[in-house]
Amino acid sequence: MLLLPNELLEKIVQNVERLKDRKALRRTCSRLALILRPHVLAEVTLNIHRYNLEPGMNMLRALATPGNIYSSYIRTLYIDSLSPSFYPDPRFKDKQRACRDTVELQEMGRDWVSGGGEIEEYEELRTLLRPALESIDHLQAIRWCWRLKDSQWTLDTVMQSLSALRHVKEFHFLCAPSVHRRSSQVAPPPLIPSIPLPDLWDLEVLSVEVSFGTRLAIDNASIITPLVNHLCSRSKSLTSLHIRTGRDLLGDGRALDFDSLDTSLHSSITHLSLGGRSSRALQVAKIPSYFSNLTSLQLRSEYYDEESLKSLFSGLTAKQIHLRRLVLDDVNGSLLDYIESYSGLEVLSLAGPHWYSQPEHDDMADRFYRQILWLHHNTLQRLEIHPAFEGRWCFGENDSWSIERCRNLRHLSVKVNCDGLPFRSNSLLRYCNQHETAANPVHSLLSTVHSNLPELHTLHIDSARNPSSAYSHFSDSGAERCLAIRDSVLSSIKNLNREREEADYTEVPKWVRVYIGGEMVKLAIDDDGRD
């Protein structure tokens, strides 16, 4: 490879996707080290905590050195932690595993543990942080997760430093205080006062978010509202806006007043993402009136107001705003009316219905699969259907014909009913009243993928809750039941070739990455040595 000219080597290294692989390749020789330097340093992470002190502080020292060779290459900066005495809770992964697919997991965030004691790196951090940040004069994107452990000082310093960076086009700010407690008796942290507001004049993408699913003692009016309004007033080229509020104790859940936006932004914003306590508080009904050129809309909300959603979709239809990307945490009739009124969706992600399977839910599912999905079959590239409970919204044999027409799908994510899945005699699924003639939904899904979805590269399969009274005696074992279904899904995939005579017909294509419950699975190797 070293006999190739630099131009060809550049082309080759551009196709090395993983940063870990780029770093390994860079260490092989001085020539590749020089060629790969811009590719390795294009994305840099500041992650300073008790067990990453030396690498984190070395990075900070290098950037703060005048005339250093690193700053000019950095285009994206991630700030994950600026707390020398803290470290990530080592028990977090065990907690995740124990609470998988239960309510507790939705309120769980990564906790940080104080190591205690005075650490001299704090003083050095105070000296180096601002000059290090201001040296990255070609920075284009910053992704920053700030937590209470990082202190008010780091919040002020980073915000003040941003004004010196004139080429930033993307700013992603996540305010995630480490207050993950379900008890109302736990004392809240002190309120964060107002913060310095940076001047970022060329922003194209703005994302401001308070950790969702966390009870916070932070007033939206003191952080989110002034920050968003200030940055929006400075930028004249903003095209993407993402706002998400937490489950705050003092605010009303509203982070943005559309009336306060510069009128020029009403036409320039094409990608809008909102999330928070309720759709009414997020003013979703006003979206069609303010953003006439929307192509992408994402609504993530804990509680939905049906009237607001009805006004939203009727407004989009009336103004002939045909979204190409729609992500919604709800399913209702007004949504189906809207996506049935046109064709051209490229991304569709639906979470819901969120209640027990009812006749109206099943009727909506039949309408979606039989009448609506085929309208977008030529353009749809990503489809995610995530009902909370088992029912017809889950993938079944009768849905194959509608999904297999979407031949341009690259990403498919569905949930399946337990009916038709194999299970062990000691599994919780033994209580499932399965029909003896029910087809295995996983087999039907893999058959569809193999025969009709040539562009697919990612497949997600997961379980849904079962509302049957037969589960009442182990209703508290939601995580255990979900794991049992996921085990049955995996068995269905691995045993497929043994159960079908025409093995090649339903074999999972080797280029498709399969995830079960969010975890990538490696399929068993058969007798021919194939995965």
Side-chain angles (χ1 to χ4, degrees):
M1 189 171 75
L2 293 178
L3 297 177
L4 297 174
N6 286 349
E7 293 80 4
L8 289 180
L9 286 178
E10 282 277 359
K11 291 290 185 181
I12 293 173
V13 299
Q14 287 174 5
N15 290 302
V16 181
E17 296 183 0
R18 295 197 310 172
L19 181 61
K20 180 179 179 180
D21 295 334
R22 294 179 188 177
K23 290 181 177 180
L25 189 58
R26 185 171 182 256
R27 289 192 291 266
T28 57
C29 67
S30 58
R31 185 181 175 200
L32 287 179
L34 186 61
I35 292 175
L36 276 157
R37 181 185 292 169
H39 302 280
V40 170
L41 296 177
E43 297 182 6
V44 168
T45 299
L46 278 178
N47 188 18
I48 299 174
H49 59 77
R50 191 178 188 92
Y51 296 126
N52 196 50
L53 271 181
E54 196 62 25
M57 294 304 298
N58 283 343
M59 173 63 68
L60 206 62
R61 296 182 190 111
L63 295 178
T65 302
N68 71 82
I69 63 173
Y70 308 105
S71 296
S72 61
Y73 292 113
I74 300 175
R75 298 295 180 267
T76 301
L77 176 66
Y78 297 86
I79 302 180
D80 189 50
S81 175
L82 296 173
S83 304
S85 66
F86 282 79
Y87 59 92
D89 185 355
R91 300 170 299 173
F92 176 65
K93 290 185 178 180
D94 293 333
K95 293 178 183 178
Q96 276 189 314
R97 191 175 297 110
C99 297
R100 181 170 299 164
D101 212 60
T102 64
V103 175
E104 286 77 10
L105 181 58
Q106 304 304 318
E107 296 196 358
M108 183 180 296
R110 183 175 59 167
D111 285 328
W112 290 74
V113 181
S114 174
E118 296 294 330
I119 296 183
E120 59 183 16
E121 279 77 10
Y122 269 111
E123 192 62 35
E124 188 177 14
L125 178 66
R126 286 179 171 271
T127 303
L128 299 177
L129 183 58
R130 184 159 186 169
L133 294 176
E134 294 182 352
S135 73
I136 314 175
D137 48 6
H138 289 84
L139 189 67
Q140 296 180 358
I142 179 169
R143 298 176 179 270
W144 175 22
C145 180
W146 179 84
R147 303 173 181 84
L148 280 175
K149 69 174 181 60
D150 292 327
S151 78
Q152 175 73 29
W153 172 82
T154 61
L155 184 65
D156 294 342
T157 301
V158 176
M159 286 293 185
Q160 292 167 355
S161 302
L162 292 179
S163 296
L165 305 175
R166 297 298 180 182
H167 303 288
V168 175
K169 298 185 181 299
E170 296 185 24
F171 180 42
H172 304 262
F173 176 59
L174 171 61
C175 179
S178 299
V179 186
H180 301 280
R181 305 286 188 269
R182 302 190 68 185
S183 173
S184 59
Q185 299 177 355
V186 178
L191 286 175
I192 302 301
S194 59
I195 58 177
L197 302 177
D199 291 328
L200 299 173
W201 298 93
D202 296 324
L203 273 185
E204 296 177 2
V205 179
L206 173 61
S207 174
V208 179
E209 181 174 349
V210 170
S211 182
F212 193 69
T214 305
R215 299 191 64 84
L216 307 177
I218 290 183
D219 187 1
N220 287 336
S222 68
I223 291 186
I224 295 183
T225 304
L227 179 60
V228 171
N229 289 338
H230 175 81
L231 293 174
C232 286
S233 68
R234 295 296 190 272
S235 174
K236 304 302 179 184
S237 55
L238 197 67
T239 61
S240 181
L241 181 62
H242 173 90
I243 309 296
R244 196 176 193 190
T245 64
R247 197 177 300 162
D248 51 350
L249 298 175
L250 302 179
D252 63 355
R254 184 169 62 189
L256 179 67
D257 183 0
F258 295 151
D259 293 322
S260 65
L261 288 179
D262 189 291
T263 54
S264 63
L265 295 180
H266 293 167
S267 58
S268 68
I269 291 178
T270 57
H271 296 72
L272 181 64
S273 175
L274 301 176
R277 189 171 182 83
S278 72
S279 57
R280 183 185 294 276
L282 292 169
Q283 298 183 301
V284 299
K286 294 184 178 181
I287 289 174
S289 302
Y290 283 89
F291 307 104
S292 57
N293 293 320
L294 273 187
T295 61
S296 172
L297 177 62
Q298 176 173 306
L299 296 179
R300 297 290 195 189
S301 179
E302 181 184 2
Y303 305 107
Y304 274 105
D305 176 68
E306 291 295 330
E307 287 302 316
S308 295
L309 290 179
K310 185 176 180 180
S311 299
L312 164 68
F313 290 116
S314 61
L316 292 174
T317 302
K319 293 185 176 294
Q320 296 186 343
I321 300 175
H322 297 160
L323 298 173
R324 294 199 297 268
R325 180 178 184 272
L326 177 59
V327 179
L328 185 67
D329 281 353
D330 196 15
V331 174
N332 54 50
S334 59
L335 161 71
L336 298 186
D337 291 340
Y338 170 67
I339 60 178
E340 193 176 18
S341 67
Y342 72 102
S343 60
L345 271 173
E346 297 174 4
V347 175
L348 179 61
S349 177
L350 303 177
H354 296 288
W355 197 238
Y356 300 120
S357 182
Q358 299 173 352
E360 57 266 31
H361 295 160
D362 288 340
D363 290 343
M364 285 192 293
D366 290 341
R367 178 185 172 192
F368 174 77
Y369 284 114
R370 295 175 183 178
Q371 302 178 30
I372 298 177
L373 190 57
W374 71 271
L375 293 172
H376 307 276
H377 73 278
N378 282 328
T379 55
L380 202 60
Q381 299 179 20
R382 186 183 186 99
L383 177 63
E384 299 175 344
I385 307 295
H386 296 155
F389 290 91
E390 291 188 359
R392 293 187 194 171
W393 278 103
C394 291
F395 178 87
E397 188 176 27
N398 294 332
D399 306 322
S400 298
W401 71 272
S402 56
I403 290 182
E404 67 187 17
R405 298 185 65 178
C406 304
R407 294 183 60 84
N408 293 316
L409 273 182
R410 299 177 59 83
H411 178 106
L412 177 61
S413 181
V414 296
K415 292 189 175 183
V416 295
N417 297 320
C418 71
D419 201 18
L421 292 177
F423 55 87
R424 299 190 184 99
S425 58
N426 61 346
S427 169
L428 282 175
L429 299 186
R430 67 184 183 274
Y431 298 107
C432 184
N433 297 322
Q434 294 184 319
H435 297 91
E436 294 182 1
T437 59
N440 188 317
V442 176
H443 291 176
S444 300
L445 179 60
L446 297 182
S447 177
T448 299
V449 169
H450 180 271
S451 304
N452 300 285
L453 302 180
E455 301 297 326
L456 196 74
H457 62 69
T458 307
L459 175 63
H460 285 257
I461 311 173
D462 205 354
S463 63
R465 302 179 191 175
N466 191 294
S468 171
S469 58
Y471 295 97
S472 59
H473 58 285
F474 61 89
S475 58
D476 294 331
S477 303
E480 186 178 352
R481 181 182 180 278
C482 285
L483 290 175
I485 294 182
R486 289 167 182 168
D487 181 65
S488 295
V489 171
L490 182 59
S491 298
S492 296
I493 296 176
K494 290 188 173 183
N495 296 331
L496 181 60
N497 289 346
R498 301 175 188 173
E499 298 174 6
R500 296 282 183 92
E501 293 181 0
E502 298 178 5
D504 291 338
Y505 180 70
T506 49
E507 179 187 2
V508 182
K510 295 178 176 59
W511 59 85
V512 176
R513 283 175 244 170
V514 179
Y515 294 80
I516 299 177
E519 295 184 2
M520 187 174 178
V521 298
K522 186 173 180 62
L523 304 183
I525 298 177
D526 62 21
D527 295 336
D528 296 328
R530 298 177 300 176
D531 273 355

